[in-house]
Amino acid sequence: MQTIDIRYQLNLYWRKIIVLGFLLLISFSSTFAQARFKEISQSGQDDKLVSYGFFLATHTSSWRLKYTEAFVSDPAAANIQSIMPVFTPGFSLGFLATLRIHDQLNLVFTPKVAFYEFRTDINTFSNVPDAEINETNFYTTETVINEATMVEFPLFFKYKAQRFNNSRMFFTAGGSAMFRTKDQEEADIESIATLGRDFTIDLGLGFDMYFKYFKFSPEVRFSHGLLDMYKPEATDPAYASSIQSLRRKSITLYLNFQ
């Protein structure tokens, strides 16, 4: 049986922590905005054709891994019990430019720099003699970490509800092109080699909070990679044949200011 590592158990709850933090942030911001500013705020430049701002963000990311048919039919042939991607935190920052199409519809461009860490646990069967195998040494775990700094160019539509006093809810939908700053030769020396570009589909929801001098817009966005990032020919041969594809996924909490 697999031993429990409290650090990995905490990693499993990163998605819930981000969503819970987002809900608490919305509740606090809404209460503070309504209590502090009774008048209707004109901040955020909603009536301008083009407006600008910046954002800070924190995310948790992981691989969507697909095994090869050979591994599924006989995992013992590769001496591997399982390959488990783990959600791992990171952060990003960037600017946003908003094009007003309608009072309730915007086109938003948010170029950013993001810092990712993809953690993968590879569990292999132990070489301990059968007579000595127990719950703690049935298999061994190797952790592989892929670090990447990405330059991203998200473009999406933002649909906003009717404004109520100094707040309004919104939904976002769009996509992003992303490029790794590390060159491919450097990436190829990692135990699990990956490619350096991806395209994603993104969906999100959040609230616009209008304060006296600025607009604050917390948002949770879900991102799914479209391209297979896996490069088997450069991956460690010990488990290269067990992985068929790797696609990225992430959940991000954005703190937007305009």
Side-chain angles (χ1 to χ4, degrees), residues 7 60 62-63 237:
R7 176 168 58 89
T60 176
S62 178
W63 296 120

Side-chain angles (χ1 to χ4, degrees), residues 11-250:
N11 275 332
L12 294 176
Y13 293 102
W14 263 102
R15 288 170 289 179
K16 295 181 180 178
I17 292 172
I18 284 183
V19 174
L20 178 60
F22 172 73
L23 295 176
L24 291 175
L25 184 63
I26 289 297
S27 177
F28 172 79
S29 299
S30 179
T31 302
F32 180 78
Q34 298 301 327
R36 178 66 181 84
F37 305 112
K38 298 298 185 181
E39 73 277 7
I40 299 298
S41 173
Q42 299 302 316
S43 65
Q45 305 175 338
D46 279 1
D47 294 332
K48 287 191 174 183
L49 178 62
V50 180
S51 58
Y52 303 94
F54 69 94
F55 64 86
L56 304 173
T58 179
H59 59 251
T60 176
S61 303
S62 178
W63 296 120
R64 286 184 293 144
L65 182 147
K66 183 177 181 180
Y67 291 114
T68 61
E69 292 296 333
F71 176 83
V72 173
S73 61
D74 187 12
N79 200 38
I80 296 176
Q81 193 266 345
S82 64
I83 303 176
M84 301 295 296
V86 178
F87 274 94
T88 311
F91 71 96
S92 59
L93 66 163
F95 299 93
L96 60 90
T98 302
L99 175 65
R100 185 181 189 274
I101 300 174
H102 181 270
D103 178 61
Q104 292 181 251
L105 183 64
N106 296 151
L107 181 64
V108 185
F109 178 54
T110 59
K112 68 175 182 176
V113 176
F115 303 91
Y116 291 94
E117 183 178 282
F118 295 92
R119 187 185 300 261
T120 307
D121 288 346
I122 302 175
N123 301 308
T124 57
F125 291 107
S126 175
N127 292 321
V128 176
D130 292 346
E132 300 178 17
I133 288 180
N134 55 46
E135 291 185 358
T136 61
N137 64 10
F138 180 70
Y139 59 82
T140 58
T141 300
E142 176 187 358
T143 298
V144 176
I145 297 177
N146 297 86
E147 295 181 339
T149 300
M150 308 290 288
V151 179
E152 304 182 27
F153 302 96
L155 182 66
F156 56 87
F157 287 99
K158 176 180 179 180
Y159 176 76
K160 302 180 289 186
Q162 291 284 350
R163 178 170 172 171
F164 176 73
N165 292 332
N166 285 327
S167 65
R168 70 198 305 181
M169 187 176 183
F170 65 81
F171 298 92
T172 59
S176 176
M178 53 196 309
F179 304 90
R180 187 176 58 204
T181 58
K182 178 167 53 181
D183 61 42
Q184 190 60 52
E185 289 185 359
E186 186 178 355
D188 285 348
I189 66 175
E190 296 176 337
S191 297
I192 297 179
T194 57
L195 301 175
R197 66 175 183 175
D198 195 11
F199 297 93
T200 66
I201 292 179
D202 303 326
L203 296 173
L205 72 160
F207 284 84
D208 286 335
M209 303 292 179
Y210 297 84
F211 293 86
K212 189 172 183 179
Y213 299 110
F214 65 93
K215 180 174 69 174
F216 173 53
S217 305
E219 176 192 358
V220 170
R221 196 179 304 166
F222 303 86
S223 179
H224 293 271
L226 299 178
L227 301 184
D228 180 6
M229 305 287 286
Y230 184 48
K231 189 176 181 182
E233 62 271 21
T235 296
D236 189 329
Y239 36 80
S241 61
S242 300
I243 303 173
Q244 180 171 320
S245 66
L246 292 171
R247 289 180 168 82
R248 62 177 297 277
K249 58 181 177 181
S250 64

